[in-house]
Amino acid sequence: MRAPAIFVFALLVAFSGITLCCAKLDSQDPKPAGVHSFAGFDRNEYPGDAALPLLRKSYSFAGYWLSPPPGEKSNSWIGKRGVMQAQGFGFLLLFQGRTSGQLPYKKDSIEAGLADAQAAAAAARRDGFAEGSVIFLDVEEGGRFFDGYHAYLRSWAESLTKEKFRPGIYCSGIVVDEGEGSTIISADDIRAHLGMADVVYWVYNDACPPSPGCAVPQNPPAPSASGVAYASVWQYVRSPREKKVARHCRGYASDGNCFAPGDTGHKWFLDENVATTSNPSAGR
């Protein structure tokens, strides 16, 4: 081969190496170009019809209770699907879960899971949500769960599937120190014991980092940035701020709550979320 040809060949090899190197770096990007996350909010009390246009400017979806929220005897969200849908909101359907103290025996746990799944499915149908929609069971407790509680969660998931809705679980994504070098994340504990692949996880982790604090990022992070790789939804802010967990987070108001951009009067404190879709409870 003549010298000029050798020189050209060398240039081509070098260029190919650079291209392969760049391609490798791109493949390691946790959020490739064209993959988007969507911002949403949730709160226990319906903010009112008048609040929806302002909230819709920042959020693509909203939590929607199918049962009274924790600590409440009534539910102000019921009947609001139509007005929210008209504003373009997607949904996170929520049903209040039992506490571990309410489930002393395994038999009671299984029956409770069945009853809650049937009640959640009936409430979803009454409000016009289609079969196949994801309903998240609200699990407020963190740490490692005992066998009876895992039986409750399994009964919930299996029974909801029989009701033709897709099971989801809202739970902690925060690392808990159990002592003696042992740690646990509630979502991992639940997933390992549930033994079902078709369950959607909505995790909360409002520690900074990984949480960006009380804000709606221009480029919302992926739910996997929560520290739970399989999460479909990440609640990165809870109101009021959990001082023990989120004490280093910025953006909260002086009362410790988080408010939507544009809510200058601080009328509607809320929790903030990101999801892989603008309608996380939509059926497949």
Side-chain angles (χ1 to χ4, degrees):
M1 187 179 290
R2 290 178 295 181
I6 294 173
F7 178 71
V8 171
F9 178 75
L11 285 176
L12 288 173
V13 170
F15 180 77
S16 299
I18 292 170
T19 303
L20 289 171
C21 175
C22 292
K24 185 176 181 181
L25 288 173
D26 287 344
S27 69
Q28 294 171 342
D29 185 352
K31 191 176 177 185
V35 176
H36 301 288
S37 296
F38 299 84
F41 78 93
D42 71 279
R43 65 194 315 269
N44 285 358
E45 185 179 347
Y46 180 67
D49 296 353
L52 298 183
L54 184 147
L55 294 173
R56 184 64 184 87
K57 290 179 180 180
S58 300
Y59 306 107
S60 298
F61 60 88
Y64 191 101
W65 284 95
L66 296 173
S67 68
E72 303 293 336
K73 294 182 178 180
S74 61
N75 181 7
S76 57
W77 291 87
I78 294 300
K80 296 299 181 180
R81 181 190 66 83
V83 67
M84 293 183 67
Q85 200 166 42
Q87 290 287 339
F89 279 103
F91 297 97
L92 280 169
L93 301 182
L94 266 167
F95 190 88
Q96 183 180 352
R98 311 284 178 108
T99 65
S100 57
Q102 295 173 309
L103 301 168
Y105 305 108
K106 188 171 182 179
K107 181 181 177 181
D108 295 338
S109 298
I110 294 171
E111 292 176 352
L114 170 62
D116 287 354
Q118 291 176 337
R125 290 189 179 101
R126 281 195 301 270
D127 254 28
F129 290 102
E131 291 182 349
S133 298
V134 181
I135 302 177
F136 293 90
L137 185 70
D138 178 56
V139 178
E140 296 283 337
E141 295 173 282
R144 193 182 298 273
F145 297 98
F146 65 98
D147 289 345
Y149 203 82
H150 285 302
Y152 165 64
L153 297 177
R154 192 177 306 111
S155 176
W156 152 268
E158 292 174 349
S159 301
L160 195 64
T161 300
K162 291 177 181 177
E163 291 287 336
K164 299 182 180 180
F165 286 88
R166 191 177 179 194
I169 295 179
Y170 165 88
C171 57
S172 173
I174 299 172
V175 177
V176 175
D177 185 356
E178 298 182 298
E180 299 182 355
S182 176
T183 60
I184 188 66
I185 295 175
S186 296
D188 289 345
D189 184 45
I190 292 169
R191 190 169 184 245
H193 285 82
L194 205 55
M196 294 177 62
D198 198 33
V199 176
V200 185
Y201 288 86
W202 171 10
V203 304
Y204 66 84
N205 185 356
D206 49 349
C208 295
S211 170
C214 174
V216 181
Q218 192 170 21
N219 184 25
S224 58
S226 64
V228 178
Y230 49 85
S232 295
V233 188
W234 173 24
Q235 185 184 80
Y236 63 89
V237 162
R238 290 180 289 173
S239 287
R241 170 166 46 186
E242 293 281 343
K243 292 182 179 178
K244 184 177 179 180
V245 176
R247 61 186 180 277
H248 299 303
C249 298
R250 299 180 178 181
Y252 290 84
S254 58
D255 63 359
N257 288 308
C258 186
F259 297 89
D263 181 12
T264 55
H266 289 181
K267 296 179 181 180
W268 313 289
F269 64 85
L270 41 76
D271 305 329
E272 294 189 323
N273 306 268
V274 289
T276 55
T277 171
S278 61
N279 192 8
S281 277
R284 293 179 299 182

